[in-house]
Amino acid sequence: MKATVSRHAHFNSAHRLNVSKWTDIENKEYFGPCNNVNFHGHNYELIVSLTGDIDPVTGYVYDMKELSDLIKNDVESRLDHKNLNLDVPEFKDLNPSAENISKVIYDWLRPSFSSKFTIKIKLYETPRNFVEYFG
Amino acid sequence: MKATVSRHAHFNSAHRLNVSKWTDIENKEYFGPCNNVNFHGHNYELIVSLTGDIDPVTGYVYDMKELSDLIKNDVESRLDHKNLNLDVPEFKDLNPSAENISKVIYDWLRPSFSSKFTIKIKLYETPRNFVEYFG
Amino acid sequence: MKATVSRHAHFNSAHRLNVSKWTDIENKEYFGPCNNVNFHGHNYELIVSLTGDIDPVTGYVYDMKELSDLIKNDVESRLDHKNLNLDVPEFKDLNPSAENISKVIYDWLRPSFSSKFTIKIKLYETPRNFVEYFG
Amino acid sequence: MKATVSRHAHFNSAHRLNVSKWTDIENKEYFGPCNNVNFHGHNYELIVSLTGDIDPVTGYVYDMKELSDLIKNDVESRLDHKNLNLDVPEFKDLNPSAENISKVIYDWLRPSFSSKFTIKIKLYETPRNFVEYFG
Amino acid sequence: MKATVSRHAHFNSAHRLNVSKWTDIENKEYFGPCNNVNFHGHNYELIVSLTGDIDPVTGYVYDMKELSDLIKNDVESRLDHKNLNLDVPEFKDLNPSAENISKVIYDWLRPSFSSKFTIKIKLYETPRNFVEYFG
Amino acid sequence: MKATVSRHAHFNSAHRLNVSKWTDIENKEYFGPCNNVNFHGHNYELIVSLTGDIDPVTGYVYDMKELSDLIKNDVESRLDHKNLNLDVPEFKDLNPSAENISKVIYDWLRPSFSSKFTIKIKLYETPRNFVEYFG
């Protein structure tokens, strides 16, 4: 008797898409306006989903309050009102694409959960573009 | 040639989270404000999804009008403008968590559909918390 | 140079529509399923709007963080995860319709703001029904 | 290290549900108001999802700008502000149900992508009804 | 003590923009793809708002159930799953722009309400374009 | 016979809140994380509304395609994928609060419209905070 529970969160960050080992011209050509040297930004909307057994006593897969607190402590505190390229060490040499941000969030959250849970990260970079990452 | 068709519905209910075999103090501690003895409530948004073959003549997996009527008769009539703990027999000894509500809805709907369909219940308790249940 | 700034908030409450001086039959007839003696509930979505001058130095009409804190302290703490009829003294003899809830919220918030601000309360009882109240 | 990237698009079309080999009465009975001989219409919201490897250099599964252009050229140009039954050859003898429209869109887009990508079409006919098609 | 109450509804219609006294070329030039002779269509989202006094006994400006029924009978029955140009007499010589549809809806609904109510029609032709009409 | 027509647009920008004549400590204290020296960012959602007469021939208050193009040329080209503080001359000495951004957009657009139109700018900085500016 498995179910998936999901929790929304959000953070507002600046970033620029840039591959550090490419030249400025290569980056400009490949990433276009997303490569703007002065950055641009997004309201990222994050959905963290956990799949696991429904506890027969509590009726919970996982306590949503606890999940919400974990996201606040492990994700929002590091990304909200930050510049992903300059303020977040994980993106020093890693392009902060929505795919890579999802992977970084997954790697931060995964150790907090027992291996019996499957975890999925869904990240809206804009209301029109989003990424899903399953680890 | 399979596809999944989905239909939104909604119901407004009161509930409290409470495990009947726990003491009041245990319930208060575990469920916090969701344990309020006088209840609180939600606009539940429900999405029922059916996966099956696309009928080569009609181009339908399932008639959405018929699905909508089934949800009205089997789900909304039992949960809308109700107190889940007091008015719905299934929750007499079952904590009405979003996970358990999804399971109860699944069990109500499943017998109405041929076994060739896969059924999924998605239930938003709030715009920020939701559950998926696959049977 | 005036502008209006608005902040979203939300609370989840149980209620029943009932006029205390009417008979049970009159209430049942007038309010239908909303009169359920065991209550039902909603995810109320609240938008508080302030109209005033844009401060020429800060560029703010009002600090959104401060507005958000006021709503938490003056509104959410009193209504979230509560039964409006039983837990909120203002509705002891006042029917907790969306109109009256909006008025009560307005009356709670108004004293916190200088009279140079115009205040508007917008309250979604469901995604399909909402009320606006201007004082 | 796989991820899924998704892009929203939209098109506004007229259609009627009708099986060409059925009689008018059979169609009327089965499809009801959706069979209106003068057509009705929808704002279709389309989400195209690609699952594949995250490129270790660019951090992309697929360039969203390129995906957006493909959808414009291969889908929107053929369906937007069109009558599906009269203006789109694929629906000459195929009922333009949401399921069949999803399949037609899949068949248009699939050849543009390497076989290493899995493609999913999600099509909202209304905010309350939607279809997913995986090929 | 005035408030505004609002109710959402929706209808799915086909239409084409066309001024009957213009030539085909003039219409094509002015309205572009919206002039497609075979029609296109929309999921129109309608919000009807009533401003009036809060009744001191019931706490209602207007009964939302009654408003919902009026919209079903006076608006949805005439526009849903219809071709606005061909099936709705009001648009025989009137271009079914969102502005004109709003005006027609207003004229249908206005007689049902006492003059002490102010009425506003808000009509989304798409999630990106909308009109407000106040009579 | 007046109506209001509205058009949605969007742009993704980086910014920091900062009053140039204040000290770093004063800015940090007043604006908190929004003052981050390395910037943060938002998906701004913009709604431009025009109030005017419905043209008795076309049924338009204003051509939405033309309005959309004006917004692209006058607003999106200057703000999308930009750093408001560094790339937009108007914010060299003006704090890019949502209120001030709305005012700047209004001042850019106003000259394009005849004085018979009333113009309103609605700007969502996040889905939870927004500003309205009327000139």
Side-chain angles (χ1 to χ4, degrees):
Chain A
M1 234 179 61
K2 281 182 177 304
T4 300
V5 294
S6 297
R7 174 78 194 166
H8 284 242
H10 49 88
F11 53 91
N12 312 322
S13 315
H15 80 153
R16 72 181 293 221
L17 297 182
N18 196 64
V19 171
S20 48
K21 65 182 184 191
W22 285 0
T23 65
D24 287 358
I25 291 170
E26 286 172 323
N27 273 301
K28 185 86 195 159
E29 227 165 82
Y30 192 79
F31 294 114
C34 301
N35 180 245
N36 178 14
V37 68
N38 287 327
F39 311 101
H40 64 285
H42 299 291
N43 303 324
Y44 291 94
E45 298 281 329
L46 170 66
I47 303 174
V48 178
S49 299
L50 296 184
T51 302
D53 294 316
I54 304 180
D55 183 290
V57 175
T58 62
Y60 272 11
V61 167
Y62 199 86
D63 185 327
M64 285 291 94
K65 178 67 175 64
E66 218 174 286
L67 177 55
S68 171
D69 288 345
L70 275 167
I71 298 172
K72 275 204 190 79
N73 294 333
D74 289 354
V75 181
E76 292 179 32
S77 70
R78 283 153 158 165
L79 301 183
D80 190 31
H81 285 79
K82 294 288 161 57
N83 182 310
L84 302 183
N85 305 66
L86 302 182
D87 296 330
V88 185
E90 280 78 358
F91 297 111
K92 199 178 169 306
D93 294 310
L94 184 71
N95 189 25
S97 65
E99 290 91 328
N100 281 338
I101 302 171
S102 301
K103 189 191 170 311
V104 163
I105 292 172
Y106 180 93
D107 291 344
W108 284 339
L109 287 174
R110 180 68 262 191
S112 298
F113 299 101
S114 146
S115 66
K116 68 187 178 188
F117 291 110
T118 303
I119 298 176
K120 176 183 156 188
I121 302 300
K122 188 172 187 175
L123 184 70
Y124 283 83
E125 191 170 82
T126 74
R128 290 154 288 276
N129 286 337
F130 64 89
V131 166
E132 289 157 290
Y133 182 76
F134 301 81
Chain B
M1 236 180 59
K2 281 182 177 305
T4 301
V5 295
S6 296
R7 175 77 194 166
H8 284 242
H10 49 88
F11 52 92
N12 312 322
S13 315
H15 80 152
R16 71 180 294 221
L17 296 183
N18 196 64
V19 171
S20 47
K21 65 181 184 190
W22 286 1
T23 66
D24 286 358
I25 290 169
E26 287 171 323
N27 272 303
K28 185 87 194 158
E29 226 164 83
Y30 192 79
F31 294 115
C34 300
N35 181 245
N36 177 14
V37 68
N38 287 327
F39 311 100
H40 64 285
H42 299 291
N43 303 324
Y44 291 93
E45 298 280 330
L46 169 67
I47 303 174
V48 178
S49 299
L50 296 184
T51 301
D53 294 316
I54 304 180
D55 183 289
V57 175
T58 62
Y60 272 11
V61 166
Y62 200 87
D63 184 327
M64 284 292 93
K65 178 68 176 60
E66 219 173 285
L67 177 56
S68 170
D69 288 345
L70 275 167
I71 298 173
K72 275 203 190 79
N73 294 334
D74 289 353
V75 181
E76 293 179 35
S77 70
R78 284 154 158 162
L79 301 183
D80 191 32
H81 285 79
K82 295 285 162 57
N83 182 309
L84 302 183
N85 305 67
L86 302 181
D87 297 329
V88 184
E90 280 78 358
F91 297 112
K92 199 178 168 310
D93 294 310
L94 184 71
N95 189 26
S97 65
E99 291 91 328
N100 281 339
I101 303 171
S102 301
K103 188 190 171 313
V104 163
I105 293 173
Y106 180 92
D107 291 343
W108 284 338
L109 288 174
R110 180 69 262 191
S112 299
F113 299 102
S114 146
S115 65
K116 69 188 178 187
F117 291 110
T118 303
I119 298 177
K120 176 183 155 188
I121 302 300
K122 187 172 187 176
L123 185 69
Y124 283 84
E125 191 171 80
T126 73
R128 291 154 288 278
N129 286 337
F130 64 91
V131 166
E132 290 157 290
Y133 182 76
F134 300 82
Chain C
M1 235 180 60
K2 281 183 177 304
T4 300
V5 294
S6 297
R7 174 77 194 167
H8 284 242
H10 49 88
F11 52 92
N12 312 323
S13 315
H15 80 154
R16 72 181 292 221
L17 296 182
N18 196 63
V19 170
S20 47
K21 64 181 184 190
W22 285 1
T23 65
D24 287 358
I25 291 169
E26 286 171 322
N27 273 302
K28 184 87 194 159
E29 226 165 83
Y30 193 78
F31 293 116
C34 301
N35 181 243
N36 178 15
V37 69
N38 287 327
F39 311 101
H40 64 284
H42 299 292
N43 303 323
Y44 290 93
E45 299 280 330
L46 169 67
I47 303 174
V48 178
S49 300
L50 296 183
T51 302
D53 294 316
I54 304 179
D55 183 290
V57 175
T58 62
Y60 273 11
V61 167
Y62 200 86
D63 184 327
M64 285 292 94
K65 177 68 175 63
E66 220 173 284
L67 177 55
S68 170
D69 288 346
L70 275 167
I71 298 172
K72 275 202 189 78
N73 293 334
D74 289 354
V75 181
E76 293 179 33
S77 70
R78 283 153 159 164
L79 301 183
D80 190 32
H81 284 79
K82 295 284 162 58
N83 182 309
L84 301 182
N85 305 67
L86 302 181
D87 297 329
V88 184
E90 279 79 357
F91 297 111
K92 197 177 169 308
D93 293 311
L94 184 71
N95 189 25
S97 66
E99 290 90 329
N100 281 338
I101 303 171
S102 301
K103 190 191 169 312
V104 163
I105 292 172
Y106 180 91
D107 291 342
W108 283 339
L109 287 174
R110 178 70 262 190
S112 299
F113 300 102
S114 145
S115 66
K116 69 187 178 187
F117 291 110
T118 303
I119 298 177
K120 175 184 157 190
I121 303 299
K122 187 173 188 176
L123 184 70
Y124 283 84
E125 191 170 80
T126 73
R128 290 154 289 277
N129 285 337
F130 64 89
V131 165
E132 290 157 289
Y133 182 75
F134 300 82
Chain D
M1 235 180 60
K2 281 181 177 307
T4 300
V5 295
S6 297
R7 173 79 193 167
H8 283 242
H10 49 89
F11 52 91
N12 311 324
S13 315
H15 81 153
R16 71 180 293 220
L17 296 182
N18 196 64
V19 171
S20 47
K21 64 182 184 190
W22 285 0
T23 65
D24 287 359
I25 290 170
E26 287 172 323
N27 273 302
K28 186 85 195 161
E29 226 165 86
Y30 192 80
F31 294 115
C34 301
N35 181 244
N36 177 14
V37 67
N38 287 327
F39 311 101
H40 64 285
H42 299 291
N43 302 324
Y44 291 94
E45 299 280 329
L46 170 66
I47 303 175
V48 178
S49 299
L50 296 184
T51 301
D53 295 317
I54 304 180
D55 183 291
V57 175
T58 62
Y60 273 10
V61 166
Y62 200 87
D63 184 327
M64 285 292 94
K65 178 68 176 64
E66 219 174 283
L67 177 56
S68 170
D69 288 346
L70 275 167
I71 298 172
K72 275 203 189 79
N73 293 333
D74 289 354
V75 181
E76 293 179 33
S77 70
R78 283 152 157 164
L79 301 183
D80 190 32
H81 285 79
K82 295 287 161 58
N83 182 309
L84 301 182
N85 305 67
L86 301 181
D87 297 329
V88 184
E90 279 79 357
F91 297 112
K92 198 178 169 307
D93 294 310
L94 184 71
N95 189 25
S97 66
E99 291 91 329
N100 281 339
I101 303 171
S102 300
K103 189 190 171 313
V104 163
I105 292 173
Y106 180 93
D107 291 342
W108 283 339
L109 287 174
R110 179 70 262 191
S112 299
F113 299 102
S114 147
S115 66
K116 68 187 178 189
F117 291 110
T118 302
I119 297 177
K120 175 183 156 188
I121 302 300
K122 187 172 188 176
L123 184 70
Y124 284 83
E125 191 169 81
T126 74
R128 291 155 287 278
N129 285 337
F130 64 90
V131 165
E132 289 158 289
Y133 182 76
F134 300 81
Chain E
M1 235 181 60
K2 280 181 178 305
T4 301
V5 295
S6 296
R7 173 78 194 167
H8 284 241
H10 49 88
F11 52 91
N12 311 322
S13 316
H15 80 153
R16 72 182 292 221
L17 297 182
N18 196 64
V19 171
S20 49
K21 64 183 184 189
W22 286 0
T23 66
D24 288 358
I25 290 170
E26 286 171 324
N27 273 302
K28 183 87 194 159
E29 227 166 82
Y30 192 78
F31 293 115
C34 301
N35 180 244
N36 178 14
V37 69
N38 287 326
F39 312 100
H40 64 285
H42 298 292
N43 303 324
Y44 290 94
E45 298 281 330
L46 169 68
I47 302 174
V48 177
S49 299
L50 297 184
T51 301
D53 293 316
I54 304 180
D55 183 290
V57 176
T58 62
Y60 273 10
V61 167
Y62 200 86
D63 185 327
M64 285 292 94
K65 178 68 175 63
E66 219 174 285
L67 177 54
S68 170
D69 288 345
L70 275 167
I71 298 172
K72 274 204 191 78
N73 293 334
D74 288 354
V75 182
E76 294 179 33
S77 70
R78 282 153 158 164
L79 301 183
D80 190 31
H81 284 78
K82 294 286 162 59
N83 182 309
L84 302 182
N85 304 66
L86 302 182
D87 297 329
V88 185
E90 279 79 357
F91 297 111
K92 198 178 167 309
D93 294 310
L94 185 70
N95 189 26
S97 66
E99 291 90 328
N100 281 339
I101 303 171
S102 301
K103 189 190 171 312
V104 163
I105 292 172
Y106 180 93
D107 291 343
W108 284 338
L109 287 174
R110 179 69 262 190
S112 299
F113 300 101
S114 145
S115 67
K116 68 187 178 188
F117 292 110
T118 304
I119 298 177
K120 175 184 157 189
I121 302 299
K122 187 172 188 176
L123 184 70
Y124 283 83
E125 190 170 81
T126 74
R128 291 153 289 276
N129 286 337
F130 64 91
V131 165
E132 289 157 289
Y133 182 76
F134 301 81
Chain F
M1 234 180 59
K2 281 183 178 303
T4 300
V5 295
S6 296
R7 173 79 194 166
H8 283 243
H10 50 88
F11 52 91
N12 311 323
S13 316
H15 81 152
R16 71 181 293 221
L17 297 182
N18 196 64
V19 170
S20 48
K21 65 182 184 190
W22 285 0
T23 65
D24 287 358
I25 290 169
E26 287 172 322
N27 273 302
K28 183 87 195 160
E29 226 164 85
Y30 192 79
F31 294 114
C34 301
N35 182 245
N36 177 14
V37 68
N38 287 327
F39 311 100
H40 63 285
H42 298 292
N43 303 324
Y44 291 94
E45 299 280 330
L46 170 67
I47 303 174
V48 178
S49 299
L50 297 183
T51 301
D53 294 317
I54 304 180
D55 183 290
V57 176
T58 63
Y60 273 10
V61 166
Y62 200 86
D63 184 327
M64 285 292 94
K65 179 68 176 62
E66 219 174 283
L67 177 55
S68 171
D69 288 345
L70 274 166
I71 298 172
K72 275 203 189 78
N73 294 333
D74 288 354
V75 181
E76 293 180 33
S77 70
R78 283 153 158 163
L79 300 183
D80 190 32
H81 285 79
K82 295 286 161 58
N83 182 309
L84 302 182
N85 304 67
L86 301 182
D87 297 330
V88 184
E90 279 79 358
F91 297 112
K92 198 177 169 306
D93 294 309
L94 184 71
N95 189 25
S97 66
E99 290 91 329
N100 281 338
I101 303 171
S102 301
K103 189 192 170 311
V104 163
I105 292 172
Y106 180 92
D107 291 343
W108 283 339
L109 287 173
R110 179 70 263 189
S112 299
F113 299 102
S114 146
S115 65
K116 67 186 178 189
F117 291 110
T118 303
I119 298 177
K120 175 184 156 189
I121 302 299
K122 187 172 188 176
L123 185 70
Y124 283 84
E125 191 170 80
T126 73
R128 291 154 288 277
N129 286 338
F130 64 90
V131 165
E132 289 158 289
Y133 182 76
F134 301 80

